[in-house]
Amino acid sequence: MRKRIALLTAVVAAGLALSACGGGKNGGNTAGDTAETPAVPEGGQQLDVQVGPSPETIDPALNAASDSGNILIHAFEGLLKFDDKQNIIGGVAESWESSEDGLTWTFHLRPDLKWSDGSALTANDFVYSWKRVADPATAAPYGYDLMNMIVGFDEAAAGEVDKLGVEAPDESTFVVHLSAPCIYFDKIAAFVVMSPVQQATVEANGEGWTTDPATYISNGPYRMTEFTDGSQIVLEKNPYYWDAEHITFDRIVWHLIEDANTSYTAYNQGEIDMIKDVPTEEIASLRDNPEFHTQAKMSTSFMVFNTQKAPFDNPKVREALSLAADRKYLAETVLQGISSPAENFVGPGVSDAAPSSSFAEVTIKKYGKHFDVDNYEANLEKAKALLAEAGYPNGEGFPAFSYLTNDAGANMAIAEYLQSAWAELGVTCTINVQEWKTMSADRRNGNFDVARHGWSLDWDDPSNLINLLETGNGNNDGRYSNPEFDKLVQEARDTVDVEKHYDLLHQAEQLILNDAAVMPVVYSNEYWLMKENVKGTWYSPYGYWYFMYGTKE
């Protein structure tokens, strides 16, 4: 099979990361009714970057992708945030504390906070914004996972948003009441989805508030001055930001480019200072280039099955399709060694209970490797046997199905490889290629058989990945549901015993692996090009670049 699919090595790749996305034009809105970017103030600096094409959304509450997340962390700021060592530090909250029983979290806001239009920002803005994330009318993908431990969430998720246990006893104090302790709640408070949005702007402009600089009111280091879908988003320094004196770049221009070759050309011509999407065929020649950077990130790329449709409701079918893929070949050949083959679901970089420990290493020590990536031929034989046990010997009687993907990066090459791999089982798969915005919506709405997926963890806790498969999770696109699994992750969420928390998550991971709930294929690493004269920026293993404190020499 490897000889037949050798053609897949010559591909343009950006990896399988969740951030691969696309979009179309909406006509564009710009400050001052001009598509031309005004000059940077004398003595100021502009940074030009490419981290993806047109984002599906730049509404904090609706975001579920790292490309738009990169823009959001520059435009908004929540109660807490991460520093360059991934420590939790104060954002708009200058101090915070939790009660002894862990059920009450109190955040004290910095004085004189303002929105980017100069109006006052208070604790009541967080009350509104957090209720908005819980509101079923918002349909926030992260709503359940981020808020189900808050008092009154079930009622809020049913439409009674005022039952959510958040309050503002005064304009500078925000209080959250939990129904059970959550040992990582500070990380939730630092997540960009939990950023405040201005109620008057959102309610007056509906969904369009995010695409017009006049209505895109934010509270972070930068404010929008141009939105031209399919071209660029321009953010300029926000003079009302509480820490504006330490923000260095006066302007960041986000070039919305989907094609890696186009990005690479613009980079080489000096039009862009940093690009995320680098053509795969260039990687070998760039490895010794000081402008080429690689870094591990907490990310797993996987395929998701529509478990509500036959035959993908059968675990044996799902496991057969999963074992038919040669993960080592995908990582080392199709993806040019930038990724590593997935042996379980949670990959490297994610901590376990003990200091400096690895969840993935503990998994292997306790349970072994679910996928033997060095024994593909045996995996294929097992896959054929499982398919026969499911009632489809040699694929006989198995219905033709489609694989949903977008065509950015290596996604088509991976799709073609999977098509060939599954053909070894005697089954027929067609490839359904869509632009990112359509694909993402179809996947979320269950309009697929099998689809590409991936997840970069938003904070260092394996629950952020494992909980995707929980019943009711807005990012559970395959609608997988298992009461035993739900019980394990709920217990892990509720306990204050750190060792028990991780042990329960190990058990949950084993359950979904044995049930073939999803099809993990590779652990993704990040790679990008950045000009040597750009200094002081940093990359987070959660999939974000922090440009706001950088300079150009």
Side-chain angles (χ1 to χ4, degrees):
M1 178 165 30
R2 293 189 181 187
K3 291 181 179 178
R4 292 205 306 271
I5 55 181
L7 60 95
L8 299 180
T9 61
V11 296
V12 176
L16 270 173
L18 179 67
S19 59
C21 61
K25 290 184 175 292
N26 69 350
N29 294 290
T30 62
D33 294 321
T34 174
E36 296 182 2
T37 303
V40 176
E42 186 175 351
Q45 288 192 328
Q46 173 174 310
L47 183 71
D48 290 79
V49 301
Q50 181 273 334
V51 297
S54 293
E56 184 182 12
T57 179
I58 49 174
D59 182 333
L62 297 180
N63 183 58
S66 59
D67 60 328
S68 45
N70 273 283
I71 297 173
L72 288 169
I73 64 170
H74 289 79
F76 289 87
E77 184 169 280
L79 295 161
L80 308 178
K81 61 183 178 180
F82 294 97
D83 67 9
D84 58 346
K85 301 293 189 300
Q86 310 316 313
N87 298 312
I88 297 289
I89 60 174
V92 300
E94 62 180 354
S95 65
W96 63 99
E97 69 269 357
S98 61
S99 59
E100 191 170 330
D101 62 6
L103 297 179
T104 303
W105 286 70
T106 304
F107 300 88
H108 306 280
L109 305 192
R110 300 179 188 277
D112 303 318
L113 293 170
K114 296 184 184 299
W115 292 103
S116 59
D117 63 356
S119 61
L121 187 157
T122 73
N124 288 307
D125 291 305
F126 280 94
V127 172
Y128 165 74
S129 301
W130 284 38
K131 287 182 177 179
R132 180 173 178 258
V133 173
D135 190 341
T138 305
Y142 272 102
Y144 176 84
D145 200 29
L146 296 175
M147 292 191 154
N148 70 77
M149 72 291 293
I150 299 177
V151 167
F153 172 76
D154 290 340
E155 293 89 341
E160 297 181 81
V161 294
D162 289 334
K163 294 291 182 68
L164 191 71
V166 295
E167 60 174 321
D170 58 59
E171 290 193 344
S172 61
T173 308
F174 179 62
V175 180
V176 184
H177 301 282
L178 304 186
S179 55
C182 179
I183 63 175
Y184 53 88
F185 192 73
D186 56 342
K187 297 172 183 176
I188 288 178
F191 189 42
V192 70
V193 171
M194 308 302 271
S195 299
V197 293
Q198 191 183 70
Q199 181 175 1
T201 297
V202 173
E203 293 183 348
N205 297 282
E207 294 180 1
W209 78 275
T210 62
T211 58
D212 186 345
T215 59
Y216 196 65
I217 307 302
S218 60
N219 75 312
Y222 293 88
R223 59 184 180 183
M224 183 195 289
T225 57
E226 179 186 336
F227 183 104
T228 304
D229 199 9
S231 178
Q232 64 185 28
I233 293 174
V234 180
L235 300 182
E236 294 191 358
K237 189 173 178 179
N238 176 13
Y240 298 108
Y241 176 55
W242 69 269
D243 196 29
E245 63 179 307
H246 292 116
I247 303 306
T248 47
F249 285 116
D250 292 271
R251 178 185 295 121
I252 302 177
V253 180
W254 306 81
H255 295 264
L256 308 177
I257 304 172
E258 185 160 10
D259 179 67
N261 287 307
T262 302
S263 296
Y264 188 58
T265 298
Y267 180 85
N268 287 328
Q269 292 177 346
E271 298 171 4
I272 301 180
D273 300 299
M274 173 270 177
I275 61 169
K276 175 185 179 292
D277 294 327
V278 180
T280 299
E281 64 266 26
E282 303 294 342
I283 291 175
S285 65
L286 290 170
R287 288 189 185 275
D288 296 326
N289 188 328
E291 297 182 2
F292 183 70
H293 304 267
T294 61
Q295 187 168 326
K297 67 176 180 176
M298 302 176 191
S299 180
T300 300
S301 295
F302 56 93
M303 282 73 213
V304 60
F305 303 102
N306 189 337
T307 64
Q308 301 302 301
K309 295 175 65 175
F312 309 105
D313 56 348
N314 187 331
K316 291 183 178 180
V317 167
R318 299 194 298 262
E319 181 75 355
L321 293 176
S322 181
L323 287 174
D326 186 342
R327 289 163 172 78
K328 192 170 185 178
Y329 179 78
L330 270 171
E332 296 180 357
T333 304
V334 178
L335 294 175
Q336 298 282 302
I338 290 296
S339 300
S340 56
E343 297 168 329
N344 290 296
F345 190 31
V346 179
V350 184
S351 300
D352 207 280
S356 303
S357 62
S358 162
F359 188 88
E361 291 177 4
V362 173
T363 298
I364 292 171
K365 184 177 180 180
K366 292 179 68 173
Y367 300 101
K369 301 175 182 179
H370 187 80
F371 302 108
D372 183 356
V373 301
D374 294 313
N375 201 1
Y376 169 67
E377 296 302 330
N379 292 339
L380 182 59
E381 289 308 308
K382 183 177 179 181
K384 291 178 179 178
L386 283 167
L387 201 64
E389 290 175 20
Y392 306 101
N394 300 314
E396 295 171 12
F398 197 92
F401 66 99
S402 67
Y403 174 76
L404 177 64
T405 187
N406 61 316
D407 62 359
N411 293 330
M412 273 302 297
I414 292 164
E416 290 167 0
Y417 166 74
L418 291 175
Q419 186 180 47
S420 297
W422 290 332
E424 294 289 312
L425 299 177
V427 302
T428 300
C429 171
T430 59
I431 301 172
N432 180 10
V433 186
Q434 299 178 355
E435 67 173 7
W436 166 251
K437 291 181 179 180
T438 304
M439 189 208 103
S440 179
D442 276 353
R443 189 177 65 192
R444 187 174 297 116
N445 292 326
N447 299 325
F448 70 96
D449 296 324
V450 185
R452 63 159 290 266
H453 211 315
W455 197 259
S456 295
L457 275 74
D458 304 302
W459 53 80
D460 184 10
D461 192 285
S463 64
N464 185 247
L465 176 63
I466 292 171
N467 289 8
L468 291 179
L469 282 302
E470 189 175 8
T471 304
N473 190 305
N475 290 304
N476 183 0
D477 294 341
R479 305 297 190 272
Y480 175 77
S481 183
N482 185 319
E484 184 181 353
F485 173 80
D486 293 344
K487 182 174 183 291
L488 287 170
V489 297
Q490 186 62 52
E491 289 177 359
R493 182 184 292 117
D494 291 347
T495 184
V496 294
D497 184 325
V498 174
E499 289 192 5
K500 183 179 180 182
H501 170 77
Y502 284 93
D503 182 62
L504 288 164
L505 290 175
H506 278 293
Q507 295 178 47
E509 181 189 32
Q510 291 306 301
L511 194 154
I512 56 178
L513 284 169
N514 292 330
D515 210 16
V518 292
M519 176 182 165
V521 286
V522 296
Y523 302 134
S524 302
N525 295 318
E526 198 71 82
Y527 58 99
W528 69 96
L529 281 167
M530 181 180 286
K531 300 297 185 182
E532 288 190 274
N533 67 330
V534 178
K535 308 292 184 182
T537 67
W538 77 82
Y539 174 78
S540 157
Y542 307 135
Y544 301 122
W545 282 269
Y546 289 77
F547 299 123
M548 62 279 285
Y549 304 112
T551 59
K552 287 170 68 174
E553 296 180 350

